Amino acid sequence: MRVELTVNGDPVSAEIEPQELLLDFLRGRLRLTGVKQSCEVGVCGACTALVDGQPVSSCLYLVHEASGREVLTIEGFVNESEFSEFEEAFTRHAALQCGFCTPGMVLTLKALRDSGAGRDVDLREELDGNLCRCTGYRAILAAARAVVGSEPAERER
Ligand code: FES
Ligand code: FES
């Protein structure tokens, strides 16, 4: 079957298998390796991409579901002016070590920020689909608060 979609602002047209996963399409065909391959069962969030602005686990999402939609990966987001705020916040708070989880974290936070999430949003809940094996989360939450503009939840104070 043929799909037409937009990936990082560029039109993409391709012949695909009906069961082809967005993860394989982005990494294998388009070489967008900022989309990380890890658990492959929708648990870790490393494979997060945005489809029409919503975070999806690309390891569970079929390419044809993205037909006619706009897909954003970290490779596209780095070219947007607001990316520098995320870069600055993650650097200032030392919110990454190996960096494997970072693209997914950043895209999830971008979607949250774009949604107009209020000051009282619970970032631990919002990020519970993005796992990090290195940092212990405290630094990531600090960076997340900086970019989303939220207050620490009661249990973080
Ligand atoms: S690789 Fe998709 S959620 Fe872990
Ligand atoms: S910084 Fe290594 S997994 Fe998060």
Side-chain angles (χ1 to χ4, degrees), residues 23 36-48 56-60 100 129:
L23 174 67
K36 299 302 183 193
Q37 185 168 13
S38 186
C39 72
E40 298 182 61
V41 291
V43 170
C44 73
C47 67
T48 299
V56 303
S57 294
S58 63
C59 66
L60 299 181
F100 194 83

